[in-house]
Amino acid sequence: MQSKITKKIINLLKSDAEYYGGIGKQFLSNSDIGTLLKNPTMYGVPQPDNKAFIMGRYFHCKMLEPEKVDEYLIAPVMSRTAKAYKEFCADHLIPFALLKNEKQKVDEWCDVMLSNFDFYELIQDKDNKYEEPNVKNIGELHGGALWKGKADIVHKDYIIDLKTSGDITKFKNSIYNYNYDSQGYIYRELFGKPILFLVIDKSTKVLGMFDLSEESYERGKYKVEQALEVYHKYFSENKTEDIKSHYLRHTV
């Protein structure tokens, strides 16, 4: 049973502001895996907003919380080099905005995904819970660490995660390259259910449904343990080295 403090934290993490910029910064997440394994000197460094990030956020909002889409500020221009775009951002005191044509593309992705019967039934199941966070100690190395995750959809059978792809025929490679295997492992630990990726190709609009093999979950677990080794070495309360001492060493 979750303690009162854990329930309080989980309730706070339902807010994106807390999840990404508030109390959520205390916890590791799957987005830290790539940084810890490839360039730990960038761990905890905020990343600037970009086109992919803002389109992804709008896509998830429209699919999972459509009542909130009106909160998005849409720049009524087709290019970020336009003077009107810079004026729009300045007027609204924001560094980055979704363009009108980008919104139209994302709207099309959403329409295609929800027009498929199988996808619609999974996404719109009456018992689904959306944008559901959780926190749990995960990992064996040095006692593990507290990890957070926010499930797109908690379905009765799966944790459903919505993805967009630049080339859906290569999405199986993306499972490894973008650490969706470690995401699957972490989310299965957090929520006790297997993960199911529902994917749309951003260009062709072909849909795909991908689950993970046990081999992928094991690979994800291995990545988590590797990341924990780096985390405990350089960043935990009991760290043994300064991050400035980090370097890569290989035999080639």
Side-chain angles (χ1 to χ4, degrees):
M1 181 179 293
Q2 295 173 333
S3 66
K4 289 183 179 180
I5 184 65
T6 303
K7 289 182 179 179
K8 182 178 180 180
I9 289 172
I10 290 172
N11 190 53
L12 286 171
L13 291 175
K14 290 181 179 180
S15 160
D16 282 350
E18 286 291 343
Y19 187 87
Y20 295 106
I23 195 171
K25 294 176 77 172
Q26 299 178 21
F27 312 111
L28 290 169
S29 72
N30 189 63
S31 61
D32 295 319
I33 295 282
T35 305
L36 288 169
L37 295 183
K38 294 181 179 180
N39 186 6
T41 61
M42 293 299 292
Y43 173 72
V45 177
Q47 299 300 304
D49 213 348
N50 60 43
K51 173 182 172 179
F53 288 167
I54 198 167
M55 290 180 77
R57 290 198 301 273
Y58 179 76
F59 171 67
H60 280 82
C61 182
K62 179 149 188 176
M63 291 294 295
L64 306 173
E65 300 176 297
E67 70 280 2
K68 295 183 179 180
V69 293
D70 290 340
E71 298 175 10
Y72 273 80
L73 296 171
I74 311 299
V77 295
M78 306 291 279
S79 170
R80 290 191 175 85
T81 61
K83 179 181 178 182
Y85 172 78
K86 297 174 183 177
E87 292 174 345
F88 180 87
C89 290
D91 290 344
H92 291 88
L93 303 177
I94 54 176
F96 205 84
L98 190 69
L99 301 182
K100 179 180 178 181
N101 56 319
E102 293 168 350
K103 175 189 180 298
Q104 291 170 343
K105 285 182 180 180
V106 177
D107 288 342
E108 289 177 9
W109 303 341
C110 296
D111 290 343
V112 170
M113 189 169 273
L114 291 175
S115 68
N116 180 283
F117 180 79
D118 291 339
F119 279 64
Y120 180 88
E121 286 233 305
L122 286 166
I123 295 168
Q124 297 291 337
D125 189 283
K126 63 180 179 63
D127 294 323
N128 282 349
K129 294 181 180 179
Y130 301 94
E131 297 283 2
E132 193 75 9
N134 204 1
V135 175
K136 183 180 178 181
N137 192 86
I138 298 173
E140 299 171 2
L141 190 68
H142 302 297
L146 286 171
W147 295 76
K148 68 178 180 181
K150 184 179 282 191
D152 286 349
I153 303 171
V154 180
H155 180 271
K156 64 181 185 299
D157 299 320
Y158 310 101
I159 297 303
I160 296 175
D161 195 80
L162 306 182
K163 299 287 189 194
T164 61
S165 173
D167 184 350
I168 201 167
T169 64
K170 298 178 181 178
F171 189 79
K172 288 190 289 185
N173 296 328
S174 298
I175 296 291
Y176 176 81
N177 293 333
Y178 295 113
N179 302 316
Y180 299 156
D181 45 10
S182 55
Q183 180 188 2
Y185 170 72
I186 292 167
Y187 279 46
R188 190 170 70 169
E189 290 291 303
L190 287 174
F191 298 98
K193 297 181 181 184
I195 200 163
L196 179 67
F197 296 105
L198 301 185
V199 188
I200 184 167
D201 189 300
K202 293 182 285 187
S203 298
T204 65
K205 301 182 184 66
V206 170
L207 298 173
M209 203 177 285
F210 299 82
D211 53 13
L212 296 185
S213 66
E214 197 57 40
E215 180 182 358
S216 290
Y217 282 113
E218 284 299 314
R219 189 174 62 229
K221 179 181 179 180
Y222 178 69
K223 286 183 178 180
V224 166
E225 295 296 340
Q226 282 187 306
L228 279 173
E229 183 173 4
V230 176
Y231 172 75
H232 284 299
K233 183 177 183 179
Y234 296 117
F235 302 107
S236 72
E237 290 183 0
N238 299 315
K239 64 182 181 180
T240 58
E241 294 187 27
D242 191 288
I243 187 58
K244 293 179 181 178
S245 68
H246 173 74
Y247 60 88
L248 299 176
R249 180 172 179 176
H250 295 284
T251 299
V252 295

